[in-house]
Amino acid sequence: VQLAESGGGSVQAGGSLSLSCAASRDTSYCMGWFRQAPGEARERVITTNAYGAINYDASVKGRFTISHDSAKNTLYLRINSLTLGDTAIYYCAAADLAQFGGSRWCKDYNYWGQGTQVTVSS
C-alpha cells in the first residue's frame, strides 16, 4: 500500500487546515492519522476501524474530522481551532484487514506515508 500526504504548512493558532492522503487502496476502513511532535513519540490521533467507524483520541474530538473519498482513494483530515500543541509531523497510515468467522478487524498499522509538517504559531 502506498500513501502520500499533502496539505501541511504553517498556520496561526485558531485557524484551520486540511490534510490529504492519496492511497493505493480503499480508504474507507483501517485507515488513520497519527502525529509526532518534536521530541515525542508518534501518537494515534484518529482512525477508522474495520467497519469504517471512527475512533478519536479524546484530546482531538470535536476539532479533528476524518473523511474519505472512495472514488479517489483519498483520506482527509480537517483540523479546526488549531493550537500550538497540534504542531507535529502528521502521518497517514493503513492497516491490512483481517476476517474470520464473520468478524473483521484491522491488523497493525504497517503502511505509512512520508508525513507532512504542520506548524502552528501564536
Side-chain angles (χ1 to χ4, degrees), residues 10-111:
S10 297
V11 187
Q12 285 195 320
S16 299
L17 195 67
S18 292
L19 306 180
S20 299
C21 172
S24 59
R25 58 148 250 205
D26 186 350
T27 55
S28 65
Y29 63 89
C30 299
M31 297 289 299
W33 290 95
F34 294 69
R35 67 184 180 183
Q36 186 168 18
E40 302 289 332
R42 186 157 53 189
E43 64 175 356
R44 180 190 306 244
V45 174
I46 186 169
T47 58
T48 57
N49 67 14
Y51 298 91
I54 299 171
N55 299 307
Y56 294 87
D57 182 86
S59 65
V60 304
K61 193 169 185 178
R63 296 194 301 118
F64 285 42
T65 303
I66 192 172
S67 61
H68 69 93
D69 185 331
S70 294
K72 298 180 179 179
N73 279 354
T74 301
L75 187 74
Y76 302 98
L77 178 67
R78 176 72 175 176
I79 311 172
N80 295 322
S81 302
L82 280 154
T83 70
L84 298 180
D86 294 322
T87 295
I89 299 174
Y90 284 73
Y91 296 91
C92 175
D96 288 324
L97 179 70
Q99 301 185 78
F100 182 78
S103 296
R104 53 194 295 176
W105 63 93
C106 302
K107 295 183 177 180
D108 291 340
Y109 282 88
N110 56 4
Y111 303 104

